[in-house]
Amino acid sequence: MIKVVKFGGSSVANAAQFAKVKNIVLSDPARQFVVASACGKESKEDHKVTDLLYLCEAHIRYGVSYEPIFAEVEAKYSKIKEDLGLALDLDKEFSMIRSQMKKGISTDYLVSRGEYLTCRLLAEYLGYDFVDAADVIAFGYDGSIDMEKTASLLQQHCNGKGIVVPGFYGAMPNGAIRVMSRGGSDVTGAVLANVLDADVYENWTDVSGFYVADPRIVANPVRIPRITYNELREMSYMGANVLHDDAVFPVKSKNIPINIRNTNEPENPGTMIMEDCSKQDQLDPPHRITGITGRKGFTVITLVKSHSSAEVGYLRKVLSVFEDYRVSIECVPITVDTFSIIVNTEAVDSCLYDIVGRLKEELKPDSLKIDERVSLVAVVGRAMKEQPGMSGKLLSEFGYNHINIKTISQTADELSVVVGVMDRDFEKAIQCIYDKFIKEERGNKG
Ligand code: ASP
């Protein structure tokens, strides 16, 4: 059994968190491959190390002293080292970074030092080997990760002992450090799981997996025990974010499950993300709805033109106007002769009136209407498929709760129904769907 285990910033924020990580790792001999982030916040007022390092870089760029900020980073690591009684020569590490900063440091190198230092300390604390991500995570010149090269480098650097690899960065073919996008340690873990053919990729964070709804909206929502990769994709796209988007692809391609776990509550089984949940679903049937999520801040542009539904190429012409302004489209609900184009309000901030002008000029609609402050609520669930009446029940719930529906869309895979409501009804919409489909079902189960 091979487990790749990744710990996020909050799991390594201080010595007490390091101790929890050690208990988790050493309690299971399969946990031989550890990835960690830079130290996260210890409290709300605290700062993430990666943010501090980006701030140092900005200070260097503007010629302002970075000393007080870098001193915060030093203090954080020195305290962890001291509290855990470790021997790593941190002064040497800090003076190396300082001398690079004086000479002109690359941003990627500087901001990667958080993960590097966390993992140096963690490796010593666990009694595992430290393997630098620069030596094993290989980027190609196009910026994508070269999986074959990564696999072979990893083989060369493993000698049968547990290893700790920093997340978030790797090296370009010329050896220069390159960082991923923010939250990229999730991707490092997924890449290692892929090249090692792991049985499971455990992603340890500060929540016990995914919840059916956002706990800031629904009080004490139930945990989702299992979710498919496709459901997860829908959920994350619509606003639920626990995992970096790019972390799914490397494991999905090899059918490796991801287990989201909570470092502060290790006995909780968390959420299992899998390609196919059908076997487990037979033993323990899921709710009809896996999750309810969504986002505020959309703009809906509705065009009405008689007989346009019969006009070949009409929709393409509408969409190409948005393409010209490089605006990505979220959803296109259509009825006879009426098209609504839903876009993120921020994306059309500076070009909405230009787009409208072009649509009027080129498409000559009978009418064109703009609705702002629209939210999209996505109801996601593999168990909704081929359930006659499911969308009807969903939509009538909005009616009972006096929530006006602006738009509705569902694709033929029946994995999600996306409903547009006004921003002011967003929270109420999520709560009422939760009450109807989760609370009521659980009540009926007794
Ligand atoms: N430390 C990086 C960040 O804050 C990467 C990570 O935590 O995954 O984005």
Side-chain angles (χ1 to χ4, degrees):
M1 169 77 87
I2 299 176
K3 290 184 178 178
V4 170
V5 287
K6 179 257 165 176
F7 292 91
S10 57
S11 304
V12 287
N14 55 31
Q17 292 300 92
F18 266 61
K20 292 181 189 170
V21 168
K22 187 172 186 172
N23 278 334
I24 292 166
V25 172
L26 301 187
S27 68
D28 183 345
R31 293 179 178 138
Q32 293 292 309
F33 300 92
V34 178
V35 173
S37 290
C39 302
K41 293 180 185 196
E42 275 190 86
S43 63
K44 256 195 179 158
E45 300 68 42
D46 194 15
H47 305 287
K48 284 178 163 196
V49 162
T50 310
D51 290 340
L52 294 173
L53 293 171
Y54 272 112
L55 215 62
C56 282
E57 190 277 331
H59 279 64
I60 296 170
R61 204 161 8 104
Y62 289 105
V64 181
S65 168
Y66 53 78
E67 275 303 332
I69 300 164
F70 194 66
E72 260 192 68
V73 176
E74 284 180 319
K76 235 179 220 293
Y77 286 108
S78 304
K79 173 115 180 50
I80 294 175
K81 173 189 155 167
E82 210 176 288
D83 289 350
L84 300 176
L86 301 174
L88 177 71
D89 188 350
L90 273 180
D91 289 339
K92 192 171 132 209
E93 298 291 344
F94 293 140
S95 71
M96 235 153 65
I97 302 170
R98 274 173 196 286
S99 77
Q100 298 267 13
M101 285 200 276
K102 286 197 185 100
K103 277 193 259 164
I105 196 167
S106 96
T107 308
D108 285 29
Y109 175 80
L110 175 56
V111 300
S112 71
R113 295 306 85 189
E115 271 66 16
Y116 170 84
L117 291 169
T118 303
C119 290
R120 288 294 306 265
L121 291 171
L122 187 59
E124 184 189 336
Y125 185 50
L126 295 176
Y128 277 20
D129 281 343
F130 170 79
V131 173
D132 195 348
D135 295 329
V136 289
I137 302 289
F139 282 100
Y141 277 115
D142 64 356
S144 67
I145 294 174
D146 182 336
M147 300 297 262
E148 258 175 52
K149 191 168 167 194
T150 298
S152 107
L153 288 171
L154 197 64
Q155 226 171 24
Q156 292 165 34
H157 283 85
C158 285
N159 39 29
K161 211 172 151 198
I163 60 167
V164 180
V165 182
F168 187 45
Y169 71 97
M172 295 295 281
N174 65 2
I177 297 277
R178 181 189 170 101
V179 295
M180 302 166 186
S181 55
R182 295 299 304 266
S185 302
D186 284 343
V187 182
T188 307
V191 166
L192 290 193
N194 173 304
V195 300
L196 290 161
D197 280 316
D199 296 280
V200 61
Y201 169 29
E202 289 181 348
N203 191 296
W204 292 81
T205 174
D206 53 3
V207 287
S208 299
F210 283 93
Y211 295 101
V212 172
D214 187 338
R216 287 167 300 186
I217 299 176
V218 172
N220 303 316
V222 293
R223 177 179 54 86
I224 303 175
R226 293 180 298 282
I227 185 169
T228 65
Y229 291 126
N230 290 342
E231 287 176 307
L232 175 74
R233 180 88 189 111
E234 298 267 340
M235 297 269 296
S236 336
Y237 180 70
M238 286 307 299
N241 64 54
V242 171
L243 197 67
H244 192 294
D245 263 1
D246 297 342
V248 170
F249 302 105
V251 278
K252 184 175 172 10
S253 66
K254 287 212 170 160
N255 220 341
I256 299 167
I258 308 175
N259 188 193
I260 307 287
R261 300 285 291 267
N262 188 348
T263 302
N264 306 314
E265 203 194 333
E267 59 296 338
N268 190 314
T271 297
M272 216 42 162
I273 309 164
M274 295 182 279
E275 178 68 32
D276 178 10
C277 299
S278 53
K279 253 197 212 151
Q280 290 84 345
D281 285 355
Q282 270 170 10
L283 300 171
D284 171 25
H287 290 291
R288 279 175 294 175
I289 286 175
T290 303
I292 314 157
T293 178
R295 280 187 280 145
K296 285 185 174 176
F298 291 95
T299 295
V300 184
I301 300 135
T302 305
L303 290 118
V304 183
K305 187 180 181 187
S306 307
H307 308 299
S308 58
S309 55
E311 191 182 321
V312 176
Y314 186 81
L315 181 58
R316 181 189 53 75
K317 284 181 209 150
V318 174
L319 299 183
S320 70
V321 173
F322 288 86
E323 189 179 345
D324 288 349
Y325 290 90
R326 306 197 59 76
V327 173
S328 147
I329 291 166
E330 303 289 332
C331 224
V332 190
I334 300 177
T335 58
V336 185
D337 299 341
T338 304
F339 298 83
S340 284
I341 312 292
I342 307 183
V343 293
N344 203 315
T345 303
E346 266 177 30
V348 288
D349 212 19
S350 58
C351 56
L352 181 61
Y353 294 100
D354 295 339
I355 290 178
V356 168
R358 286 227 2 229
L359 290 172
K360 282 188 172 166
E361 197 184 304
E362 293 171 28
L363 282 309
K364 311 243 172 328
D366 303 335
S367 71
L368 189 153
K369 185 169 165 266
I370 298 171
D371 287 287
E372 286 177 310
R373 286 186 274 281
V374 172
S375 297
L376 293 179
V377 175
V379 181
V380 180
R382 59 189 180 278
M384 295 197 300
K385 201 174 162 91
E386 285 159 21
Q387 286 270 328
M390 185 62 200
S391 319
K393 279 187 202 131
L394 241 173
L395 299 180
S396 41
E397 222 27 54
F398 285 82
Y400 293 140
N401 288 279
H402 309 287
I403 298 171
N404 183 42
I405 296 177
K406 301 284 309 169
T407 62
I408 307 166
S409 48
Q410 183 194 311
T411 48
D413 62 6
E414 300 176 62
L415 195 61
S416 68
V417 179
V418 178
V419 180
V421 299
M422 295 311 292
D423 279 351
R424 60 171 179 272
D425 289 329
F426 178 68
E427 286 84 3
K428 191 173 166 194
I430 291 181
Q431 182 74 57
C432 76
I433 299 298
Y434 184 88
D435 290 347
K436 177 75 190 167
F437 291 90
I438 305 294
K439 255 199 189 155
E440 214 178 274
E441 264 176 47
R442 290 177 83 80
N444 291 342
K445 274 188 192 170

